[in-house]
Amino acid sequence: MTRQTGTSPSADAPRFADALRIQVRVITALVMREVHMRYGRKNIGFLWLMFEPILFAGGVIALRSVLPYGKSNHGIDLVPFLMTGYLPFLIFRNLLQRGMHCVQANHSVLYHRQVNLLDLYAARFILEIVGGIAAFVFGCGALTLLGFMEPPKDLIPIYAGLFFLIWFSAGFAALLSVGAEMHTLIEKISHPLSYLFIVISGCFFMVDWLPTDYQKVALWVPTVHCFELIRSGYFGASIRVHFDIPFLAAVCLAQTFFAIAAIRGLRKWVAVE
């Protein structure tokens, strides 16, 4: 008679559920720690997560409003065009900037057995994503109520565009952050890169405005597809958009694979105190 060893799938299920519950609690605790470290308990605290991007976007809109071409560009109202471009772009930029030094700033908590490097990145990125989405929803909602923007034509493409933008930004920020932990040169170029990237990101132009040859080049940039998706949802059939969802999904999947592998590889570089 053979004696069976090991565990059955039914026995593994509760263990997985318990592990998942612990991981959620760990990430939640890290998010709260990040909020307290960054904003403290005074004034409006974590609400700065939402108002900070709105202030940035408000400044850009005010600046662009005084430029010679007035309040519209290519027949599109300037305010909704910038709100559907610059506010989502701030999610990308903030993830890049906050991803820097993520491990250095939090390596002391790695002393706890339940905390790993992926948790540190997840906590910091979740905070930025929640703040960015809240700023986008609140900013667009307030301007719609005030009459500066029309309600969006279709919310589904907007959700899809934001989803892919966040997915791509998190993977890119994680890869850049791991590189910066290993080489200071990558850290130094990350800030200029985040500002220069705004030119080709698609947040300030539509692909259809470009000459045909430049359109093909622009569509190699994943974020261009994200902004085209968001604007197709907001403006509807009044504009012509260009995007490729399978291309976006393939890029994000490949980038996520390399980002997770890079974070796991970073573990041996980090000294736990």
Side-chain angles (χ1 to χ4, degrees):
M1 182 178 179
T2 304
R3 183 179 179 182
Q4 293 185 344
T5 58
T7 57
S8 65
S10 59
D12 286 338
R15 293 182 183 177
F16 174 77
D18 290 343
L20 183 63
R21 194 177 302 114
I22 292 171
Q23 218 59 37
V24 170
R25 289 173 60 188
V26 167
I27 292 174
T28 304
L30 289 172
V31 169
M32 297 308 299
R33 177 177 180 272
E34 186 79 21
V35 170
H36 291 156
M37 285 176 57
R38 199 184 303 177
Y39 301 103
R41 298 173 183 273
K42 298 179 180 179
N43 301 319
I44 61 174
F46 71 93
L47 289 179
W48 271 116
L49 269 174
M50 182 175 67
F51 288 121
E52 195 174 3
I54 291 175
L55 289 175
F56 269 112
V60 172
I61 290 173
L63 180 64
R64 295 292 296 267
S65 297
V66 299
L67 291 179
Y69 45 76
K71 297 181 180 179
S72 68
N73 197 8
H74 292 266
I76 297 178
D77 288 341
L78 187 65
V79 172
F81 178 75
L82 291 177
M83 290 296 287
T84 53
Y86 193 61
L87 271 180
F89 178 79
L90 287 178
I91 298 175
F92 170 84
R93 200 197 68 178
N94 289 343
L95 284 175
L96 247 64
Q97 292 184 348
R98 296 296 183 183
M100 290 292 119
H101 308 300
C102 174
V103 176
Q104 289 182 25
N106 297 286
H107 76 280
S108 60
V109 299
L110 292 172
Y111 174 79
H112 300 284
R113 185 168 53 87
Q114 293 91 347
V115 181
N116 58 53
L117 292 179
L118 278 172
D119 296 332
L120 301 184
Y121 282 100
R124 188 162 279 201
F125 288 171
I126 286 172
L127 194 59
E128 294 304 326
I129 291 166
V130 169
I133 291 177
F136 181 73
V137 172
F138 181 81
C140 291
L143 289 176
T144 301
L145 290 175
L146 292 172
F148 292 100
M149 293 175 63
E150 296 289 333
K153 305 297 183 188
D154 187 356
L155 289 174
I156 300 300
I158 296 177
Y159 294 152
L162 288 173
F163 170 76
F164 281 112
L165 180 68
I166 290 167
W167 189 4
F168 173 79
S169 303
F172 189 68
L175 279 174
L176 205 63
S177 172
V178 171
E181 296 285 347
M182 298 178 176
H183 303 286
T184 55
L185 177 63
I186 297 178
E187 177 193 351
K188 293 184 184 303
I189 66 172
S190 63
H191 287 286
L193 178 66
S194 67
Y195 286 101
L196 291 174
F197 190 75
I198 196 171
V199 178
I200 62 170
S201 66
C203 76
F204 283 150
F205 67 85
M206 298 290 297
V207 173
D208 207 52
W209 299 349
L210 304 174
T212 305
D213 290 341
Y214 289 102
Q215 289 181 10
K216 295 176 182 176
V217 176
L219 289 172
W220 279 105
V221 181
T223 54
V224 170
H225 299 256
C226 302
F227 290 111
E228 294 279 309
L229 263 170
I230 293 170
R231 284 172 176 142
S232 74
Y234 181 80
F235 294 103
S238 63
I239 60 170
R240 186 180 176 190
V241 294
H242 305 259
F243 57 80
D244 186 344
I245 291 179
F247 167 76
L248 259 182
V251 170
C252 291
L253 274 173
Q255 190 176 239
T256 301
F257 172 80
F258 287 115
I260 291 175
I263 291 172
R264 289 183 180 277
L266 180 64
R267 189 67 180 86
K268 63 183 180 184
W269 290 67
V270 179
V272 179
E273 297 176 356

